Each structure stands twice: as structure tokens, then as C-alpha cells.
Amino acid sequence: MGPGEAHIAQAGPTLGKLFDVVLEPESHPALGAIRVEEDLFAIGRAEAPFASCDAGSIAQLSRRHAKIFIENGEAYAADLGSKNGTTMNGTALREKPVRLRSGDIICFGGKLSFRVRMEPRVGARAVAGRVASVTLTPERSDLGLQPIEIVQFPFLISKADETFAQYSARYPHQVNYVSRRHAHIFVKGGTPFVEDLGSTNGTFVNGERLGDTAVALTEGASLAFGGRHFAYTVGLPRIDDPCPTATVTGSLNRATQEDGADADKTTFITTAHSFLDIFCVDQSQARDDEINHETVPEPSVRVRRRPRSRFSRFISELRVALGGEQGATRGSRRVLVAAVVVVALAVAGGGALYVKGGAERDLKGRVERGDYRGALTVANTYLARHPGNAEASALGTQALLKAYLPNWLDRLKQRDFDGAKSVVEELQTLSASNADARFLVNEIDWIGRLEAFMTRRGSEQADPPIRIYADEDRMSELLRQWESDPGGHQQRLDRIASIVPEFRDAYASAMSHLRKLQSDDSVYLPAIDRLKASVSKALDQGHPEGLRDTIADYADKYPRLAGLDKLQDDLAKYIELNDAMLARNLGALVVAMQKAEFVTPPFQARLRQLEHDGLPSADVVKRYAAVSDAWKSGQATQAINRLQGMLGGTWADGVAAELAHKKAVASQFADLQKSRATAGFDDRVMAFYESLDPVADTWFANAIQPDLDALKPKALARAQEWQTQAQAAWTQYRINGAIGGEQRLETGVSDAFKKQARLLADAQFKAQHAVRLFKQIGSERAAQAEKLLAEITAEADLQRRSLVELRAVIDPAVLDAKLALIGTNTNAQPGVTGEDRRAP
């Protein structure tokens, strides 16, 4: 813990419900599943159930290897400095605990691997005769130590805790024999245990120093920490025992007593410590623990003497000078010189201490008077010269938060997130020389970003939507920052709330938002990752049509997943663009390019890829636009001449196909005008209309509209004939049975496949013509024809996708032949290529 930071156990909101952790073996099935039913579970060679395993299975385990514990509704794993280490999903656990989730793979010693599974805890587990508390009564009555009554577990024995720190003035050396993370008392199965945490000076039960495993406490046992000074007799009142009597004269939390406190008073421990504090090792603090010379050190340990200071050397030399064997006169001179030096040192030292003390007194006085901004200036000036002063850092932090945090809270309430961010930036500048404050400012910044994100998402809703390609990265970033050190974050947030109490509302709101994000993290973020992977795979493999059903399926399964409509829109535009490019259809491609304003990242990336692969240049698009404008205005000769001027270049094949179509349309239109009042004119009008491109050839369609209107009864009959033929082919296809997987997987093209593919392609082609004619003459039968076309098209698209997905196992020539029979796109005409199909 940092200076002045609160214990994690003081955190306000609890983040989850009761549950058990189940470890399912991945490497040694014979071990069976291990259910962690307690809030603390030890992993080690001598711990159950590992102690009963064969030696080969647990050879890599240390005696004190790792811990799994449940804290604030979350499960954690912590490595205890084991020889062969602990990994989580392949990543080594270091000095800090890591949160567990269902599906994680945890491995102990590089050999024993388990998959983590969380199961809700059903009911409470009552343990008959379980302990109500543990009483520690000092063995010596002459030291003034207070009894300790522990009613909440775990309890961390630490010289930094007020339970032992209250004796620092009276027994400084003895208190220092207690480590910062010395030992802890916890309850397992209704029985209290004590475990040493690798303390420097040891924990002793009945005179025996504890090893690597926890030991159960019994009534009347002797329990000592760091030597013989803090030695207690254990008392175990149980739930079914009469309530123990005690005079409560101290605080109901951890009683803080003045020096010389009444030994009859009892220190009550009614707030549990945190497992996160207990198992989070701070090596720099561990090195501060002193060696207790009352205990027997290891033979191999050499005690190093601290080098003498200049003042110590001076005193030594002064002692020699005063006690030397020189004459009286020479000795007197030395005494005089030494006295002058001592007086000078005293004056200089006293002046320095007075100046230093004056700054600290000024800082404290300003804080007490409420002059927080002035105190902050004094603190920062002082810390610039004395960066390691803990008291100045703490006072500076207090002044900073009290001076500026209320303004930040007001901005947050007003939803002025830019203003709140500016306050944080000011706090970061003002805390530049105060490392203690910087940690707390980072927490404030995190809460501000979390609140801004949730408000923009719509946090007033019970279940706000999650926008794909917009929210997931921000959610992951916020969660990743929290989960890097959840205990430390709670600890620092508690400290901020203790300095500025009005901060508690923002803290509680942040914890509520955090629970929502963690819930979404377990369901929606994995779904988004899977959908992104599906989109990427489909685009890479070249069959994007299948994404229509995939995206629709995600929309049904995940109703709060927003942004799928934009994904579908981009998909439709991409398919049109990609198909036109593959078909080298310049006219359709230019139209698709004009609509290709993608808003989702995968399709924006695909557009860049298509540009790299050879989309028409801006010059080609500009020149073709002039051709299109002339053609649509009926200037056929001008359009054809301009196209002929574009025959060179990378798109010469597309220009040639477009030129052939336009020449055929212009020639057919001219012949049609000459054949008026001749036999077969009506059939030629309708055939000409059906050959036209409904988008590009609108001028010619409009030109023959009067002729078509005059032929409305005949056109209606023609459209009905197309629909009847389409229905007949579609019905026969279904009677025969749809093309199945066995036919698609055939190494050749069977007659059965050819028959079904031709029926499907024929039905689709004729249904398309029926829809176009019905729409052109304004018939109400168009809706019925469109419904039939939609059914046929869905089956044809399904068969194309299924075939494309088999390209890894089907000979490419066979695959191409099968696709050609079905038709390569929804405008396919049986037996006709894309270029030929558009000719009259």
C-alpha cells in the first residue's frame, strides 16, 4: 500500500454474487475436478487434494505455490513466489493477483493445468460450531499490550496496521520485528488458521516457527509474531457459546490509543482485511522489514554493518582528541576547537531543522485553516526540494483534492465532460512533483472517462446499446485499466472519498457502470469479436453474400448490438461494387463507385484494397460519366464515339463490352423505327425492351414507352407467361429436391446436378423478366412476381455460397462448371455470359 492508502476491504460497492470456482483438469484427468468452496484455497505439495496425488504429478509444485481467493464478488489467483511459477492463459503471474474468469487456463509449475469454471453458490454453507471470533490475549501483562478481538476475517498482521503501529513510540524495535505482510488469520471450514506470509522474523505457534503451510489455531495455543514481545494466548469463542464479555472503550473499527493506553482496553477488529492486500507483494516494502535479533538467524546470513555517517566519525575523532595522551596545553586546545565545532554544528543543524519545520508548520496550518490552494503551493515548492517527504506529499494531496475536486464533481454532474477533462489536466500539472497525488488523479481521470463514455452510450437506459466498431475498443480500454489492479483502484478511490466525502456519489456511479461493462464484457464483446472475425473471413475468402444471414442472425441473438444496419448497408454496396469489378462491367462499376461511401472499418479497408487492385482511375470515371450523360440524353452517336476513344488502358475490356452493348442497342432501336406497321413489330418491341439495362438505358426505354403502352394487354400476357414458366421450373426443382451436399461434393458434374441447376437458373431468369414487365406496365401483379423471385433468388444464392465454401475440396474446373450452370450472379441467364446477356 502506498502512504496513507486505505485497505481494499474498505471499498464500498460489492461487485458480484456468491459463487464457487471449479478447476477442471486439462493435463491430469485423474485428479478430477476441484471445487473451491471456501473464499481462500491453497495450492501446494502438502495441501489437499494435491498431497494425496502421486509424486510425479505434483513434482513441479512448491510447498507454498499459489492461492485462489474470492474477494468483492470476483475470483483471483496469486502466485506465492513458487519455484516453477504459475501462468494464466500462458502469461506468467508476477507479484500481483490476477482476476479469474470462466474459460481461463491456469497452470501450476508448468505441469498441472486446469480450466476455470464459475458456478453460482447455492445457499449459504452453515458450519456447526464455527468460530464467532478469535481472541488474542497478551501473554505478558507488564507490557501494556491490548487484547485483540477479531470478528471479521481475514485479519492481516502488519506493522503498518494501527493494531500494532500504536505501540511504535513505546516499542519501536519490537514493532519493527513485525513485517508489513507478516501473517494472516483466516477461517476455513469453520476453523481459524494462521499462515505466515514469508515474514522476516517468523510466526510462532506454541514456540514452533511456522513453515510453508497454514496451521489451525486451537483454544489456549500460544501465538507470537516476530519474536517473544507480541505473544498472545488464543481464545476461540464459538457461535453456540455465550457471547464473550468485554468492555468496549476503544473504537469499533481498529482502536487507536495514545501512548500509555490502558491495557484493559480491547482492540476490536470488525472490518475484514483484503486478500488482495495480503497476497499482493511489494518487494520494496518487504526489504524494509528488519531482522529480529531475538530469533536465531540462518547460519549463511551475514549481517552487514551500516557505514558510519560523517557525524559519527566526527564524534569518534572528538573522543580520541579528548582522551589522547598528549600534554595538557595541546589537549586544551583540542577541547576548545572541538567545543567550537560542536557549537557551530548545533547552530547550523538547529537552524536547518527550524527552517524545515517552519515549512511543514506553514503547510499544516494552511490545510487546517482551509487555505488549500495556498497549502498546495507550499507543498509543491517543498516537494520540489524534498521529493521523498511522505508527510508533505500526503498534505499536498489533501490540499489538491479539497481545492479542485469539487469543481470537477460539478462539471461531471452538469455533463460538461470537456470541462471535467480540463480540470483533470490541471490536476495532473499541479501533481507533477507529488507522486502520491498523481496516482489519485489517474483514478479521477478514469472515472471521468468512464462517466463520459456511459453517458454518450445512454447510461440512463437500463440496458444501453453497444455500437459495433464504435464502443468495443473504448469498453476494453476502460476495463483493462481497472483489471490491471482492481484492489489498488478501490483502495485509492476509497482514499479520495475519505478526503472529499462528496466524491462518494461519483464513486458509486462508477462502480455501477463498471458492473454493466463487466457484464457486457462477458457476453457482447466476445460476440462482437466473433462477428468481426466472420466478416473478415468472408471478405478474405471472396464470398461476402453469406454475411447477410450472419449479420441478421447476430441482430436476432444480440438485440442490444447496434450498428448492424450500417454493416448491412455497407455489405450491399460492397457486393454491388465487387461484382461489377469482377464482371468488368464498367457502367455498373461506375454507378457502384458513386454509391460506395462506406462507414464501417472492414468495408473502408476493402475499398482501399479494391483501389489498389485496379478500380478505374478518376480520369476513366470522369470520361465514362460524360459517355453516360450523352447516352441517357439520347445522344447515342456522341456516346459511342467517346467510348471508342477510351479503348486503351487497363479497362479496355470493360470499355469494349460497353461499346458493343451500346452499338447493339442503337442499331436495334434504329431498326425498330424502320419496322413499324410490319409483321412482328409487337414482338420486336417487347424483345427490345427486355434487352435494355433498366438503369443505363432509360432514354431508350422511355422512347418506346408509348409503343409498349399500346401493347399493354399483350405485354401483360407476356409477363404472365414468364411468371408461369418461372413457377413451373421452380415447382419442378422443389419436387425433385434441392441440390444437396452430396451433389455439390461430386468430383464431376452429374446429370442430376445439371438438371437441377438448369431448373433453378431458368426459374430465376424468367421470374426476373416477369417482374420487369409487370413493373413497366404498372400491373398490380408485380408484387406477387417479386415474391416468387425472392424465393428463387434465396435458393440460388444459397447454392452459390455452399459451392464456394467447398472450393478447398473440389477441383477448380468442376467448381467453375457447377457455378456456371447455376449462374454467377442474380441476373444470370442460362447458357449466356455476362457480356452477351446485355446484347439485344
Side-chain angles (χ1 to χ4, degrees), residues 34-82:
I34 300 173
R35 180 176 291 274
V36 180
E37 297 181 337
E38 300 284 346
D39 287 345
L40 181 65
F41 178 72
I43 293 94
R45 288 202 306 270
E47 302 287 352
F50 305 101
S52 60
C53 297
D54 63 276
S57 299
I58 61 172
Q60 302 300 314
L61 286 184
S62 300
R63 291 184 62 83
R64 186 172 180 270
H65 195 103
K67 295 281 187 183
I68 290 176
F69 56 90
I70 297 175
E71 184 98 309
N72 291 330
E74 301 288 357
Y76 298 86
D79 186 80
L80 304 180
S82 62

Coordinates of all heavy atoms in Angstrom, one line a residue, residues 34-82:
I34 N -11.8 -30.0 -9.1 CA -11.6 -29.4 -7.8 C -12.5 -28.3 -7.6 O -12.5 -27.3 -8.3 CB -10.1 -29.0 -7.6 CG1 -9.2 -30.1 -7.8 CG2 -10.0 -28.4 -6.2 CD1 -7.7 -29.7 -7.8
R35 N -13.4 -28.4 -6.6 CA -14.4 -27.3 -6.3 C -13.8 -26.5 -5.1 O -13.6 -27.0 -4.0 CB -15.8 -27.9 -5.9 CG -16.8 -26.8 -5.6 CD -18.2 -27.4 -5.4 NE -18.7 -28.0 -6.6 CZ -19.4 -27.3 -7.5 NH1 -19.6 -26.0 -7.3 NH2 -19.8 -27.9 -8.6
V36 N -13.7 -25.2 -5.4 CA -13.2 -24.3 -4.4 C -14.4 -23.7 -3.7 O -15.0 -22.8 -4.2 CB -12.3 -23.2 -5.0 CG1 -11.8 -22.2 -3.9 CG2 -11.1 -23.8 -5.7
E37 N -14.8 -24.2 -2.5 CA -16.0 -23.8 -1.8 C -15.7 -22.8 -0.8 O -16.7 -22.2 -0.2 CB -16.7 -25.1 -1.2 CG -17.1 -26.1 -2.3 CD -17.8 -27.3 -1.6 OE1 -17.6 -27.5 -0.4 OE2 -18.6 -27.9 -2.3
E38 N -14.4 -22.6 -0.4 CA -14.1 -21.6 0.5 C -13.6 -20.3 -0.2 O -13.3 -20.4 -1.4 CB -13.0 -22.1 1.5 CG -13.3 -23.3 2.3 CD -14.2 -23.0 3.4 OE1 -14.4 -21.8 3.8 OE2 -14.8 -23.9 4.0
D39 N -13.6 -19.2 0.5 CA -13.1 -18.0 -0.1 C -11.6 -17.9 -0.3 O -11.0 -17.0 -0.9 CB -13.6 -16.7 0.7 CG -15.1 -16.5 0.5 OD1 -15.6 -17.1 -0.4 OD2 -15.6 -15.8 1.3
L40 N -10.9 -18.9 0.3 CA -9.4 -19.0 0.2 C -9.0 -20.5 0.0 O -9.5 -21.3 0.7 CB -8.7 -18.4 1.4 CG -7.2 -18.4 1.4 CD1 -6.7 -17.5 0.4 CD2 -6.7 -18.0 2.8
F41 N -8.2 -20.7 -1.1 CA -7.8 -22.1 -1.4 C -6.4 -22.1 -1.7 O -5.9 -21.3 -2.5 CB -8.6 -22.6 -2.6 CG -8.3 -24.0 -3.1 CD1 -8.6 -25.1 -2.4 CD2 -7.5 -24.1 -4.3 CE1 -8.3 -26.3 -2.8 CE2 -7.2 -25.4 -4.7 CZ -7.6 -26.5 -4.0
A42 N -5.6 -23.0 -1.1 CA -4.2 -23.1 -1.2 C -3.8 -24.2 -2.2 O -4.4 -25.3 -2.2 CB -3.6 -23.4 0.2
I43 N -2.8 -23.9 -3.0 CA -2.2 -24.8 -3.9 C -0.8 -25.1 -3.4 O 0.0 -24.1 -3.3 CB -2.2 -24.3 -5.4 CG1 -3.6 -24.2 -5.9 CG2 -1.4 -25.2 -6.3 CD1 -4.3 -22.9 -5.7
G44 N -0.4 -26.3 -3.2 CA 0.9 -26.7 -2.7 C 1.1 -28.2 -2.6 O 0.1 -28.9 -2.6
R45 N 2.3 -28.7 -2.5 CA 2.5 -30.1 -2.4 C 1.9 -30.7 -1.2 O 1.4 -31.9 -1.3 CB 4.1 -30.4 -2.4 CG 4.8 -30.2 -3.6 CD 6.1 -31.0 -3.6 NE 6.9 -30.7 -2.5 CZ 7.9 -29.7 -2.4 NH1 8.0 -28.9 -3.5 NH2 8.6 -29.5 -1.4
A46 N 1.8 -30.0 -0.1 CA 1.3 -30.5 1.1 C -0.2 -30.2 1.3 O -0.7 -30.5 2.4 CB 2.1 -30.0 2.3
E47 N -0.8 -29.5 0.4 CA -2.2 -29.1 0.5 C -3.1 -30.1 -0.1 O -2.8 -30.7 -1.2 CB -2.4 -27.7 -0.1 CG -1.5 -26.6 0.4 CD -1.9 -26.1 1.8 OE1 -2.9 -26.6 2.3 OE2 -1.1 -25.4 2.4
A48 N -4.3 -30.2 0.5 CA -5.3 -31.1 -0.2 C -5.9 -30.3 -1.4 O -6.0 -29.1 -1.4 CB -6.5 -31.3 0.8
P49 N -6.2 -31.1 -2.5 CA -6.1 -32.5 -2.6 C -4.8 -33.0 -3.2 O -4.6 -34.1 -3.6 CB -7.3 -32.8 -3.6 CG -7.3 -31.6 -4.5 CD -6.9 -30.5 -3.6
F50 N -3.8 -32.0 -3.4 CA -2.6 -32.3 -4.1 C -1.7 -33.3 -3.3 O -1.0 -34.1 -3.9 CB -1.8 -31.1 -4.4 CG -2.6 -30.1 -5.2 CD1 -3.2 -29.0 -4.6 CD2 -2.8 -30.2 -6.6 CE1 -4.0 -28.1 -5.3 CE2 -3.6 -29.3 -7.3 CZ -4.2 -28.2 -6.6
A51 N -1.8 -33.2 -2.0 CA -0.9 -34.1 -1.1 C -1.2 -35.5 -1.4 O -0.3 -36.4 -1.2 CB -1.1 -33.7 0.3
S52 N -2.4 -35.9 -1.8 CA -2.8 -37.3 -2.0 C -2.4 -37.8 -3.4 O -2.7 -39.0 -3.7 CB -4.3 -37.5 -1.7 OG -5.1 -36.7 -2.6
C53 N -1.9 -36.9 -4.3 CA -1.6 -37.3 -5.6 C -0.3 -38.0 -5.7 O 0.5 -37.9 -4.8 CB -1.6 -36.1 -6.6 SG -3.2 -35.3 -6.7
D54 N 0.0 -38.7 -6.8 CA 1.3 -39.4 -6.9 C 2.4 -38.3 -7.1 O 2.1 -37.2 -7.6 CB 1.3 -40.3 -8.2 CG 1.0 -39.6 -9.4 OD1 -0.1 -39.3 -9.8 OD2 2.0 -39.2 -10.1
A55 N 3.6 -38.7 -6.7 CA 4.7 -37.7 -6.6 C 5.0 -37.1 -8.0 O 5.4 -35.9 -8.1 CB 5.9 -38.4 -6.0
G56 N 4.9 -37.9 -9.0 CA 5.2 -37.4 -10.4 C 4.3 -36.3 -10.8 O 4.7 -35.3 -11.5
S57 N 3.0 -36.3 -10.4 CA 2.0 -35.3 -10.8 C 2.3 -34.0 -10.1 O 2.0 -32.9 -10.7 CB 0.6 -35.8 -10.5 OG 0.3 -36.9 -11.1
I58 N 2.8 -34.0 -8.9 CA 3.0 -32.7 -8.2 C 4.4 -32.4 -8.0 O 4.8 -31.5 -7.2 CB 2.3 -32.8 -6.8 CG1 2.9 -34.0 -6.0 CG2 0.8 -33.0 -7.0 CD1 2.4 -34.0 -4.5
A59 N 5.3 -33.0 -8.8 CA 6.8 -32.8 -8.6 C 7.1 -31.3 -8.8 O 8.1 -30.8 -8.2 CB 7.6 -33.7 -9.5
Q60 N 6.4 -30.6 -9.7 CA 6.7 -29.2 -10.0 C 6.1 -28.2 -9.1 O 6.4 -27.0 -9.2 CB 6.3 -28.9 -11.5 CG 6.9 -29.8 -12.5 CD 8.4 -29.7 -12.5 OE1 9.0 -28.7 -12.5 NE2 9.1 -30.9 -12.6
L61 N 5.3 -28.7 -8.2 CA 4.6 -27.8 -7.2 C 5.6 -27.4 -6.1 O 6.3 -28.3 -5.6 CB 3.4 -28.4 -6.6 CG 2.1 -28.5 -7.5 CD1 1.0 -29.0 -6.7 CD2 1.8 -27.1 -8.0
S62 N 5.6 -26.2 -5.6 CA 6.2 -25.8 -4.4 C 5.3 -26.2 -3.2 O 4.1 -26.4 -3.4 CB 6.6 -24.3 -4.4 OG 7.4 -24.0 -5.5
R63 N 5.9 -26.2 -2.0 CA 5.1 -26.5 -0.9 C 4.1 -25.3 -0.7 O 3.0 -25.6 -0.2 CB 6.0 -26.6 0.4 CG 6.9 -27.9 0.4 CD 7.6 -28.0 1.7 NE 6.7 -28.1 2.8 CZ 6.2 -29.3 3.2 NH1 6.4 -30.4 2.6 NH2 5.4 -29.3 4.3
R64 N 4.5 -24.1 -0.9 CA 3.7 -23.0 -0.8 C 3.7 -22.3 -2.2 O 4.5 -21.4 -2.5 CB 4.2 -22.0 0.3 CG 3.3 -20.8 0.6 CD 3.8 -20.1 1.8 NE 3.0 -18.9 2.1 CZ 3.2 -17.7 1.6 NH1 4.2 -17.5 0.8 NH2 2.4 -16.7 1.9
H65 N 2.8 -22.8 -3.1 CA 2.9 -22.4 -4.5 C 2.0 -21.3 -4.9 O 2.5 -20.3 -5.5 CB 2.5 -23.7 -5.4 CG 2.9 -23.6 -6.8 ND1 4.0 -24.2 -7.3 CD2 2.4 -22.8 -7.8 CE1 4.1 -23.9 -8.6 NE2 3.1 -23.1 -8.9
A66 N 0.7 -21.3 -4.6 CA -0.2 -20.3 -5.1 C -1.5 -20.3 -4.2 O -1.7 -21.2 -3.4 CB -0.6 -20.5 -6.6
K67 N -2.3 -19.2 -4.4 CA -3.6 -19.1 -3.7 C -4.6 -18.7 -4.7 O -4.4 -18.0 -5.7 CB -3.5 -18.1 -2.6 CG -2.6 -18.3 -1.5 CD -3.2 -19.3 -0.5 CE -2.3 -19.4 0.7 NZ -2.7 -20.4 1.7
I68 N -5.8 -19.3 -4.5 CA -7.0 -18.8 -5.2 C -8.0 -18.2 -4.1 O -8.2 -18.9 -3.1 CB -7.7 -19.9 -6.0 CG1 -6.9 -20.3 -7.2 CG2 -9.1 -19.5 -6.5 CD1 -7.4 -21.5 -8.0
F69 N -8.5 -17.0 -4.3 CA -9.4 -16.5 -3.3 C -10.5 -15.6 -4.0 O -10.4 -15.2 -5.1 CB -8.6 -15.6 -2.3 CG -7.8 -14.5 -3.0 CD1 -8.3 -13.2 -3.2 CD2 -6.5 -14.7 -3.4 CE1 -7.6 -12.2 -3.8 CE2 -5.7 -13.7 -4.0 CZ -6.3 -12.4 -4.2
I70 N -11.5 -15.5 -3.2 CA -12.7 -14.7 -3.7 C -12.8 -13.4 -2.9 O -12.8 -13.5 -1.7 CB -14.0 -15.5 -3.6 CG1 -13.9 -16.8 -4.5 CG2 -15.2 -14.7 -3.9 CD1 -15.1 -17.8 -4.3
E71 N -12.9 -12.3 -3.6 CA -12.9 -11.0 -3.0 C -13.9 -10.1 -3.7 O -13.8 -9.9 -4.9 CB -11.5 -10.4 -3.0 CG -11.3 -9.1 -2.3 CD -10.8 -9.3 -0.9 OE1 -11.3 -10.1 -0.2 OE2 -9.8 -8.7 -0.6
N72 N -14.8 -9.5 -3.0 CA -15.7 -8.5 -3.6 C -16.4 -9.0 -4.8 O -16.6 -8.3 -5.8 CB -14.9 -7.2 -4.0 CG -14.5 -6.4 -2.7 OD1 -15.1 -6.5 -1.7 ND2 -13.4 -5.7 -2.9
G73 N -16.8 -10.3 -4.8 CA -17.6 -10.9 -5.9 C -16.7 -11.2 -7.1 O -17.3 -11.5 -8.1
E74 N -15.4 -11.3 -6.9 CA -14.5 -11.7 -8.0 C -13.6 -12.7 -7.5 O -13.2 -12.8 -6.3 CB -13.7 -10.5 -8.5 CG -14.5 -9.3 -9.1 CD -15.2 -9.6 -10.4 OE1 -14.9 -10.7 -10.9 OE2 -15.9 -8.8 -10.9
A75 N -13.1 -13.6 -8.4 CA -12.1 -14.6 -8.0 C -10.8 -14.2 -8.6 O -10.6 -13.7 -9.7 CB -12.5 -16.0 -8.6
Y76 N -9.7 -14.5 -7.8 CA -8.4 -14.1 -8.1 C -7.4 -15.3 -7.9 O -7.7 -16.2 -7.1 CB -7.9 -12.9 -7.3 CG -8.6 -11.7 -7.5 CD1 -9.8 -11.4 -6.7 CD2 -8.3 -10.7 -8.4 CE1 -10.5 -10.3 -6.9 CE2 -9.0 -9.5 -8.5 CZ -10.1 -9.3 -7.8 OH -10.8 -8.2 -8.0
A77 N -6.3 -15.3 -8.6 CA -5.2 -16.2 -8.4 C -3.9 -15.4 -8.1 O -3.7 -14.4 -8.8 CB -5.0 -17.1 -9.6
A78 N -3.1 -15.9 -7.2 CA -1.9 -15.2 -6.9 C -0.8 -16.3 -6.7 O -1.0 -17.3 -6.0 CB -2.0 -14.4 -5.6
D79 N 0.3 -16.0 -7.4 CA 1.5 -16.9 -7.2 C 2.2 -16.4 -5.9 O 2.3 -15.2 -5.7 CB 2.4 -16.8 -8.4 CG 3.6 -17.8 -8.3 OD1 3.3 -19.0 -8.6 OD2 4.7 -17.4 -7.9
L80 N 2.8 -17.4 -5.2 CA 3.4 -17.0 -3.9 C 4.9 -17.2 -4.0 O 5.6 -17.6 -3.1 CB 2.9 -17.9 -2.8 CG 1.4 -17.9 -2.6 CD1 0.9 -18.8 -1.5 CD2 0.9 -16.5 -2.3
G81 N 5.5 -16.8 -5.1 CA 6.9 -16.9 -5.3 C 7.4 -18.3 -5.5 O 8.5 -18.7 -5.1
S82 N 6.6 -19.1 -6.2 CA 6.9 -20.5 -6.4 C 8.1 -20.7 -7.3 O 8.4 -19.8 -8.1 CB 5.7 -21.2 -7.0 OG 5.4 -20.7 -8.3

